[in-house]
Every structure is written in structure tokens, then in C-alpha cells.
Amino acid sequence: MCETKVAVYGKGGIGKSTTSCNISIALARRGKRVLQIGCDPKHDSTFTLTGFLIPTIIDTLQSKDYHYEDVWPEDVIYRGYGRSGPC
């Protein structure tokens, strides 16, 4: 299996979320499975990829009274652009 990892870094306001989202969509359109992980407190890319605002990890931890051991993958992983069926 060929696996590629891409990281996007830079100062604020230069379009990291937009660029990451566009790369994820382009790869998904080519039939690739994509996992986009990021620190996105403004929901810039998550809304574009999912069509709705997902909770941040802080929101999720707060809902679990900050018991990280009670956070499960299904609490923080959401189906995004171009996916149907099980993750």
C-alpha cells in the first residue's frame, strides 16, 4: 500500500485551511482515502469538507468533563467530502 503524508505549515491568514481542504477534495475525487487532521478553531476546513460545523477537540473534551479516556474515535472523526458508507 502506498501512503503519502502531507503537512501544511505557515503563519496565520495565508490560506492553510483552504489549501488543505482543496488538496483533500482533489485526492478524494481521484478515489483516495483522505484523513485530514488539523487545529481548526474557526472551522475553516471542516465546514467545507463536511457541510456542517463539527465540534473542536476542546468542545468534545468539555462534553466529557475533560476525561480524555472517555473520548472515542467516533467522537472526533466525521465523514467528509465524497464519502458514503462506513468510514
Side-chain angles (χ1 to χ4, degrees):
M1 168 177 26
C2 181
E3 184 177 294
T4 301
K5 296 177 184 170
V6 177
V8 178
Y9 298 93
K11 67 183 237 37
I14 63 169
K16 294 179 301 294
S17 293
T18 300
T19 300
S20 299
C21 182
N22 288 333
I23 290 169
S24 293
I25 289 172
L27 292 170
R29 285 186 176 176
R30 290 182 178 211
K32 304 295 183 186
R33 293 188 64 179
V34 178
L35 173 64
Q36 182 169 318
I37 302 171
C39 181
D40 194 10
K42 296 184 299 178
H43 304 275
D44 293 3
S45 61
T46 55
F47 183 78
T48 303
L49 292 173
T50 62
F52 57 94
L53 297 176
I54 66 169
T56 66
I57 191 64
I58 298 299
D59 296 334
T60 303
L61 283 168
Q62 187 176 27
S63 75
K64 305 282 185 171
D65 201 25
Y66 297 95
H67 291 277
Y68 66 87
E69 66 277 4
D70 294 333
V71 177
W72 300 98
E74 56 270 16
D75 296 327
V76 294
I77 297 175
Y78 292 83
R79 188 173 321 286
Y81 177 88
R83 287 291 295 158
S84 60
C87 292

